[in-house]
Amino acid sequence: SNVANDKTQQMMVETSDFFPREVVTKNSGKMYKAKVGITVNQQIARNQAVHAPGASGQFSLLLQEILVAAKVIRDKVTLAGIAEVLGTTDEENVQGETVKVLDVLSNDIMKRRLLTSGLVCMVVSEEDEEPCYPKEKYAGGKYVVCVDPCDGSSNIACNVPVGTIFGIWERLSPSDGPANLQDALQPGRQMVCGGYILYGPSSMCVYSTKSGVYGFTYDPSIGEFILTHDDMKIPAKSKCYSVNEAYTNYWSDEIKGFVNWLKTEDKQDGRPYGGRYVGSLVSDFHRNLLYGGIYLYPKDKRSNSGKLRLLYECAPLSLIAEQAGGTGTNGEVNMLDIVPTNIHQREALFIGNTYDVNVAMDFLSGKRTN
């Protein structure tokens, strides 16, 4: 229809027309002017002028380093089959998971870029048992970066989108001395930025510095991430839920009750929800962020604490969810309020639309059974 065509044209950023321009867009019923077409650095500068005038610019440089590494990882993902970077190594990471070739490449690319930037004092990666520190000539950086370099890598051979998830904290220790473990063991509330890069049909960077959520789409013709999603908000109503129901037999009765509630017909409440589960956390979260939904990976009989990692999976995505009007919890407390005791600490995760997350917590606490 003409209306649909007009809407499509309105939301598009043409490759040949990447210069900043304002368009009126609609997100969750709210109309606003979005300055699409600007780059990540321009957006950061814009925010700094409003929220942090006089900032040193180090954070902007750090985010740019992450994005440069992400562009290289994107190229590796795109050419994975041709470049023969599919398959597994003979190693297991600290999580006890078989390491994929792409895990190793992504980890090396990200660490090499960050640890030689002079901007970080420590990098915590899913693939490394211990924190990684820069050499002395690059030491003294202001930030700690916790990262899952290639989330969902087990799906890469079948072309399922994968991604990089990262969280950035300011160090606690003096910058003229060595960093220590406490610099990384900070709650999500103290994070200065959480984000992810999704490598799919198009590559996107979504991040928040606690002043809204912004989405940038990669334009390979100019080698830049361009703002396409301004002031992102999770829709008020959910459409789907994401969970691996193959593990139903391992769940508690409370989790079974909640998932049954999601599938029970209630037209007034907009249920049943559709089941959508990719098995790549960043992909499932991104879809729910755009369309509305809840993602859950509960603890079960096999894992008393949960499976997903707090510092470089749960906390960064929970920051984005909260800034977009949603919530992330472990089923008991807000994910951003948890103080980690281990850099690879695992948690259960319930994240997405606030209403659904609150209902999940009511089921888990016994406040409701149907």
Side-chain angles (χ1 to χ4, degrees), residues 11-302:
M11 295 298 292
M12 283 175 54
V13 180
E14 297 290 349
T15 304
S16 60
D17 181 22
F18 56 84
F19 297 102
R21 55 192 175 86
E22 287 189 342
V23 296
V24 177
T25 61
K26 185 175 182 181
N27 190 4
S28 300
K30 183 177 72 170
M31 302 298 294
Y32 59 89
K33 286 186 176 181
K35 197 154 189 175
V36 300
I38 64 175
T39 66
V40 173
N41 278 345
Q42 289 172 319
Q43 177 64 23
I44 293 173
R46 213 172 132 198
N47 278 351
Q48 284 180 345
V50 175
H51 302 287
S56 66
Q58 289 187 52
F59 171 75
S60 177
L61 292 173
L62 176 57
L63 191 56
Q64 192 61 35
E65 292 291 342
I66 291 173
L67 291 180
V68 169
K71 293 173 188 177
V72 179
I73 294 171
R74 170 197 170 272
D75 289 341
K76 299 294 184 183
V77 170
T78 303
L79 298 174
I82 298 173
E84 297 183 351
V85 295
L86 300 176
T88 62
T89 66
D90 295 326
E91 302 175 356
E92 287 188 351
N93 63 16
V94 65
Q95 321 298 336
E97 301 163 340
T98 301
V99 177
K100 309 296 185 295
V101 175
L102 199 59
D103 285 324
V104 176
L105 285 172
S106 301
N107 193 40
D108 288 346
I109 291 166
M110 189 63 69
K111 288 194 303 181
R112 192 181 307 124
R113 194 80 203 184
L114 294 178
L115 292 175
T116 58
S117 68
L119 300 168
V120 303
C121 64
M122 181 192 307
V123 173
V124 173
S125 170
E126 179 190 27
E127 303 303 326
D128 296 305
E129 185 172 358
E130 300 294 334
C132 301
Y133 301 94
K135 293 181 179 179
E136 186 175 353
K137 63 179 179 179
Y138 300 116
K142 180 179 180 181
Y143 296 101
V144 174
V145 178
C146 299
V147 62
D148 181 350
C150 193
D151 175 72
S153 58
S154 61
N155 290 318
I156 188 66
C158 57
N159 272 339
V160 169
V162 297
T164 298
I165 307 173
F166 63 90
I168 302 173
W169 286 259
E170 288 191 14
R171 68 185 295 176
L172 300 175
S173 60
S175 59
D176 57 354
N180 60 63
L181 198 58
Q182 295 308 309
D183 290 318
L185 298 179
Q186 301 185 58
R189 291 282 174 211
Q190 294 177 225
M191 203 183 320
V192 296
C193 178
Y196 62 87
I197 300 96
L198 179 68
Y199 312 111
S202 62
S203 293
M204 279 196 69
C205 169
V206 177
Y207 80 90
S208 175
T209 55
K210 300 183 181 179
S211 58
V213 179
Y214 303 94
F216 299 78
T217 302
Y218 184 67
D219 184 343
S221 70
I222 60 171
E224 290 281 4
F225 282 93
I226 303 300
L227 180 65
T228 51
H229 297 67
D230 187 84
D231 192 27
M232 298 175 73
K233 298 294 181 185
I234 295 178
K237 285 288 186 179
S238 292
K239 291 184 178 180
C240 58
Y241 69 97
S242 307
V243 65
N244 190 341
E245 294 192 67
Y247 297 146
T248 300
N249 290 337
Y250 300 108
W251 292 345
S252 67
D253 290 339
E254 291 79 9
I255 293 297
K256 291 177 183 177
F258 173 62
V259 173
N260 285 334
W261 177 85
L262 293 170
K263 297 188 290 186
T264 300
E265 184 174 8
D266 185 329
K267 292 183 179 180
Q268 186 175 356
D269 206 24
R271 292 181 282 123
Y273 294 171
R276 299 289 185 274
Y277 185 74
V278 175
S280 170
L281 171 60
V282 68
S283 296
D284 284 313
F285 176 81
H286 185 70
R287 181 194 55 249
N288 292 347
L289 174 63
L290 293 178
Y291 300 149
I294 179 172
Y295 174 97
L296 54 149
Y297 205 123
K299 57 185 178 181
D300 55 35
K301 295 176 182 177
R302 303 166 307 147

Side-chain angles (χ1 to χ4, degrees), residues 305-319:
S305 58
K307 181 181 178 183
L308 300 177
R309 275 65 58 148
L310 174 61
L311 284 175
Y312 41 81
E313 291 177 327
C314 301
L317 295 185
S318 293
L319 176 65

